[in-house]
Amino acid sequence: MTTPPDEPHDLHPDTRAVRGGRDSCDPALAPVIWASSTFVSPSVDAAQAAATSVGTERFYSRYGNPTVADFERAVADLEGAEAARAYGSGMGAVTGVILGLCSQGDHIVATRQIYAATQLVLQVMCPRFGIDVTFVDGTEPGAMAAAVRPGKTMLVWAETPANPRLDLVDLDELGAIAGPMTVVDSTFATPFGQRPLAHGVDIVVHSATKAMAGHNDATLGVVATSAELVQWLTGFAVLHGAVASPYDAANGIRGLRTLPIRFARQSASALEVAGWLEKDGRVTEVRHPGLESHPQHDLAVRQMQATGGLVCFDLPGGIAAGRRFVDALELAQLATSLGGPETLVTHPASTTHVNLLPEELAAAGIGPGTIRLSVGLEHPDDIRADLARALDVVDGLA
Ligand SMILES: *Cc1c(COP(=O)(O)O)cnc(C)c1O
């Protein structure tokens, strides 16, 4: 028997990425942008039905929008979820989940290794609403489960691979936690690096601004989970309003088409660059989950299909060396973001984390000479040559 061609789940994920998210496009081949903020109802009965159903696509675009819904269906399919809800940014998705599911008196367990803005939501915003948060080391076996307060903990929040040192969380261990809902911010992995729901995790969150949309031209977030939870989150999203623009959703669908090959290439180039940096020996603490020297490399092999485009390392010369290194790069550009076609570099100690004291930096896993590299789609030899030249400058050889 051959596979029926109209049975999308019998197709490989790479194929589904190319073919998905087309329900509102027929017969256009490219995503159709439904720019309309509102839709004409044929009758009062139809308008009433739309106004009282959750996530309706052709009523008012804060509730739902055909282009956005196409993006949502494509992501849900790739994550193996029943449904998805898109947001106006990754932080829209993060906040939409946390404040959509937690109330005064609830408790959250979160991994300490986490995106800085997510950490602020948990550390500063949650207490304002009477939500208590416990941070644990996500790399320590059993730490997340041990921090759960039965009947009180509503969410266990993990990020893997995590900012900034690419620490991993064991997805099987997280998925096995009973009681609270478990969440993974899977931005660094995309559905082509890991599929958290297949490990029993309840909710996957992405900043689609990064590798998913993949071209630095969309600000977009998405949550994939059960249809029931998406209904609930949608009811809340209609009120807080951090909804996705159809223009960004169209760029998100466009990004998904090439995500499998972009992610594979970036993963391979990042591993090559990381291996070269390690051998070169002028930097320390080279981190990439695909390197055998990564403290959780076995876990990466067990739960990741590809390890992504990020590499982190330390320049022994501290702040001054970090600044000189970044300024000396010619190909890699200094910009905050990741997962796009261009290789980007950040020096957290002089930019995103400039206001932290040395001990706060250390607690965040950031050294004065820490460099984060998002390896792009350029030829890896050119990326390596750029890094080598900048290291020569730091060493005073050029
Ligand atoms: C960028 C990012 C976010 C926030 O996404 P925005 O689209 O910038 O709002 C959340 N989590 C991770 C891991 C990120 O890299």
Side-chain angles (χ1 to χ4, degrees):
M1 276 275 292
T2 53
T3 309
D6 57 352
E7 207 47 72
H9 281 283
D10 288 338
L11 299 171
H12 287 87
D14 302 45
T15 309
R16 291 181 354 239
V18 172
R19 305 302 283 258
R22 293 174 186 270
D23 289 2
S24 79
C25 300
D26 190 39
L29 195 55
V32 171
I33 298 170
W34 288 75
S36 196
S37 60
T38 191
F39 297 82
V40 177
S41 291
S43 66
V44 176
D45 277 352
Q48 183 175 336
T52 53
S53 73
V54 181
T56 178
E57 284 171 37
R58 293 171 199 221
F59 173 63
Y60 186 70
S61 282
R62 178 158 42 77
Y63 288 64
N65 171 280
T67 311
V68 174
D70 274 352
F71 173 68
E72 291 167 341
R73 279 186 287 265
V75 172
D77 177 59
L78 293 175
E79 284 293 359
E82 287 175 0
R85 172 78 196 184
Y87 292 83
S89 67
M91 287 315 298
V94 168
T95 311
V97 169
I98 292 172
L99 297 184
L101 299 180
C102 296
S103 307
Q104 187 178 24
D106 286 342
H107 174 243
I108 298 174
V109 175
T111 53
R112 196 171 292 136
Q113 299 90 338
I114 210 162
Y115 186 70
T118 306
Q119 187 176 349
L120 285 176
V121 169
L122 293 167
Q123 218 164 33
V124 180
M125 198 186 279
C126 283
R128 277 181 51 211
F129 294 105
I131 302 162
D132 195 18
V133 183
T134 305
F135 289 98
V136 300
D137 181 350
T139 67
E140 191 185 314
M144 294 177 296
V148 169
R149 301 177 194 158
K152 275 285 197 195
T153 306
M154 182 62 81
L155 289 182
V156 180
W157 187 285
E159 186 175 306
T160 182
N163 272 292
R165 295 214 163 265
L166 308 173
D167 290 318
L168 306 183
V169 170
D170 188 321
L171 292 174
D172 285 331
E173 193 188 305
L174 179 65
I177 295 176
M181 285 175 276
T182 51
V183 189
V184 168
D185 182 334
S186 197
T187 299
F188 283 17
T190 84
F192 292 91
Q194 68 195 12
R195 301 251 310 280
L197 302 183
H199 297 262
V201 169
D202 298 307
I203 302 168
V204 180
V205 175
H206 288 283
S207 168
T209 308
K210 315 293 169 52
M212 245 187 207
H215 296 70
N216 300 314
D217 56 9
T219 304
L220 188 64
V222 65
V223 174
T225 180
S226 67
E228 190 187 349
L229 268 181
V230 166
Q231 279 236 339
W232 180 266
L233 293 173
T234 296
F236 183 55
V238 167
L239 301 182
H240 67 65
V243 301
S245 150
Y247 295 92
D248 287 332
N251 280 337
I253 297 167
R254 178 278 325 266
L256 292 178
R257 302 276 179 258
T258 56
L259 180 59
I261 55 166
R262 286 187 290 108
F263 195 74
R265 162 84 170 199
Q266 288 177 332
S267 297
S269 294
L271 183 56
E272 194 181 323
V273 165
W276 172 80
L277 278 168
E278 208 166 44
K279 270 210 211 79
D280 181 79
R282 283 182 284 177
V283 303
T284 59
E285 298 278 327
V286 182
R287 282 288 196 100
H288 177 79
L291 284 179
E292 274 175 34
S293 61
H294 189 288
Q296 297 166 292
H297 178 65
D298 291 347
L299 178 59
V301 170
R302 207 157 68 234
Q303 71 185 24
M304 299 190 79
Q305 289 79 58
T307 45
L310 284 152
V311 178
C312 186
F313 54 91
D314 283 5
L315 291 164
I319 289 268
R323 299 177 78 104
R324 211 173 317 136
F325 176 79
V326 170
D327 280 338
L329 290 166
E330 291 172 12
L331 189 71
Q333 290 164 297
L334 176 59
T336 298
S337 201
L338 58 107
E342 305 87 357
T343 294
L344 300 183
V345 64
T346 59
H347 178 223
S350 67
T351 54
T352 47
H353 295 70
V354 69
N355 291 323
L356 298 196
L357 299 167
E359 55 271 25
E360 290 173 325
L361 273 180
I366 295 163
T370 296
I371 299 289
R372 192 188 80 177
L373 198 66
S374 170
V375 174
L377 297 172
E378 304 93 340
H379 197 287
D381 290 353
D382 294 333
I383 300 168
R384 231 171 29 188
D386 192 37
L387 297 172
R389 189 168 46 231
L391 286 171
D392 286 349
V393 169
V394 171
D395 284 350
L397 302 176

